[in-house]
Amino acid sequence: MMRNEEGDARLESLARQLGARAAEQVDVDRVARQVVEQLRTQPEPRATWIQPAWLRIAAMVVVLVGTGVVVGRLTTGQRPVVSQHAAHYVADDLNDLSADELRDVLTSFDEIISTDSAVVPDSSSDLRGLDAQQLREVLRAVQGEVS
Amino acid sequence: MANPLPQTVTVPDTALISAWQRGDERAAAELVERHARPLARFLAGAGAPETDVDDLVQETFVRAFRSVDRFRGQCQFRTWLLTIGGNVLKDFGRRAARRKVVPLEEGVRDRTGDPHDHAEARETEDLLAAGLQKLPRLQREVFLLRAQQGLEYDEIARALGTTPGAARVHYHHAVRRLKEIVK
């Protein structure tokens, strides 16, 4: 282990020699010529990251699109999306069904009622006594689409 | 008409920088001639492979001249140049790692590979160079700026954006660790 002062001096002496060989090998004139040539002929490379101006534009586009979506929903949709979807089912799809098809749907609906007693009250079994038109109206009433 | 300056008067770096900013390429060449070798020593000491020192010196000068507007004279031009050299070397190490070419530390280890083939001075120098690679970058640069380039702590602190006290602490940490290696 080196003693402190002696060790420091030796280390600094070594450090002064460090890289001396590499420095001697540098062709200074050639480096100077190449540096000047490179500065003269090669334009400064553009930064590879996105310019701040483009970032600002992209942020504005996102804000505008987002605002448009929110405003659109607020102005055109008075009901939640789920309700609109259900209403579409009742208003459009049920109207297109024939009496037999409607009967099949109602049979399925009956099965759901009978297996989900926790949700549908017992009185709902009265639905079985209704005809197709009445059931259609009941379904529309459930969806808030009574005509 | 003004008399030309006598040949013996050394034009200060700041005057050459101003001349370069006005488009005087000769001033840029003069700055390269003044500082290329100390920069090469610094880069080699910091771990640059000898075969790449020329290119790294060139890249450092180009980067420095292109950003010379940011040099406010907070320290000497050479000190500022050396800190840019440190950044260039760091980028070089990253590029080498990505290309899976000889990484910086392997380059250093290659030189320490067979000490019997080298003179004692070279062996110790290689040992020191290898030891420097084990230091954190800031400690390594402070050590080289102080011990190799002979700069004062105030100057080092201004160049590296730290305080003279912190620079002194970094230096002493570096010395303590290097003495363990070079014993």
Side-chain angles (χ1 to χ4, degrees):
Chain A
M1 180 73 120
M2 292 177 187
R3 279 175 295 176
N4 266 348
E5 289 180 9
E6 185 187 330
D8 286 2
R10 183 173 171 226
L11 202 59
E12 286 174 8
S13 170
L14 283 172
R16 280 193 293 275
Q17 295 163 23
L18 200 61
R21 192 176 49 253
E24 284 304 314
Q25 290 170 2
V26 171
D27 184 343
V28 175
D29 290 338
R30 189 179 61 83
V31 170
R33 278 196 309 275
Q34 288 181 339
V35 167
V36 169
E37 183 69 17
Q38 197 172 338
L39 290 169
R40 187 190 303 149
T41 58
Q42 295 179 12
E44 190 168 358
R46 294 177 68 88
T48 52
W49 57 83
I50 300 170
Q51 296 292 322
W54 283 109
L55 282 176
R56 281 197 291 272
I57 291 169
M60 282 178 62
V61 168
V62 169
V63 169
L64 287 173
V65 169
T67 305
V69 169
V70 171
V71 169
R73 284 185 178 177
L74 288 175
T75 54
T76 61
Q78 297 300 319
R79 297 181 196 85
V81 174
V82 173
S83 298
Q84 286 178 340
H85 185 65
H88 163 79
Y89 250 83
V90 173
D92 297 339
D93 296 351
L94 291 185
N95 281 341
D96 294 338
L97 294 179
S98 67
D100 289 339
E101 288 168 336
L102 189 59
R103 196 169 293 116
D104 290 340
V105 172
L106 293 172
T107 303
S108 303
F109 188 59
D110 273 348
E111 288 171 1
I112 294 169
I113 290 170
S114 62
T115 58
D116 196 4
S117 56
V119 175
V120 182
D122 291 342
S123 60
S124 65
S125 59
D126 295 343
L127 293 171
R128 295 187 183 104
L130 300 176
D131 61 20
Q133 183 57 37
Q134 288 169 324
L135 281 168
R136 188 179 289 121
E137 288 174 0
V138 168
L139 281 171
R140 283 178 173 155
V142 168
Q143 298 299 327
E145 289 289 329
V146 178
S147 54
Chain B
M1 184 174 165
N3 292 327
L5 289 171
Q7 293 267 326
T8 51
V9 174
T10 304
V11 181
D13 284 350
T14 48
L16 290 173
I17 292 167
S18 299
W20 152 248
Q21 287 173 315
R22 292 192 301 271
D24 183 352
E25 291 180 347
R26 180 59 216 157
E30 171 67 24
L31 285 166
V32 173
E33 286 160 15
R34 278 186 190 183
H35 302 294
R37 289 197 196 283
L39 173 61
R41 285 179 59 219
F42 177 80
L43 291 169
E50 280 188 24
T51 50
D52 292 303
V53 167
D54 254 37
D55 290 342
L56 292 169
V57 166
Q58 186 177 325
E59 188 178 340
T60 302
F61 273 108
V62 169
R63 200 181 289 190
F65 284 129
R66 281 181 173 156
S67 58
V68 79
D69 291 342
R70 291 203 290 272
F71 175 63
R72 306 278 181 218
Q74 65 274 30
C75 57
Q76 296 170 35
F77 176 71
R78 179 179 295 178
T79 315
W80 183 70
L81 189 69
L82 297 179
T83 60
I84 293 175
N87 292 329
V88 167
L89 185 59
K90 186 179 74 175
D91 294 344
F92 170 81
R94 285 180 182 158
R95 287 198 303 270
R98 275 202 299 270
R99 289 196 308 262
K100 306 284 185 193
V101 183
V102 184
L104 219 52
E105 288 183 10
E106 276 182 31
V108 172
R109 274 200 296 274
D110 284 348
R111 293 196 285 138
T112 61
D114 187 4
H116 297 294
D117 292 339
H118 305 291
E120 186 183 352
R122 171 145 188 181
E123 184 185 339
T124 314
E125 184 186 321
D126 288 344
L127 208 55
L128 177 60
L132 279 166
Q133 295 311 303
K134 294 176 183 167
L135 298 182
R137 184 184 166 196
L138 195 54
Q139 279 184 26
R140 180 168 60 242
E141 292 193 356
V142 168
F143 176 81
L144 288 170
L145 291 173
R146 172 79 180 162
Q148 185 198 50
Q149 303 286 329
L151 299 178
E152 298 295 330
Y153 289 119
D154 287 351
E155 173 76 359
I156 295 168
R158 282 194 294 271
L160 297 179
T162 183
T163 63
R168 187 186 295 271
V169 169
H170 285 305
Y171 180 76
H172 284 295
H173 279 302
V175 166
R176 197 177 60 202
R177 292 184 64 181
L178 289 171
K179 280 202 293 193
E180 288 294 318
I181 295 165
V182 187
K183 59 184 178 183

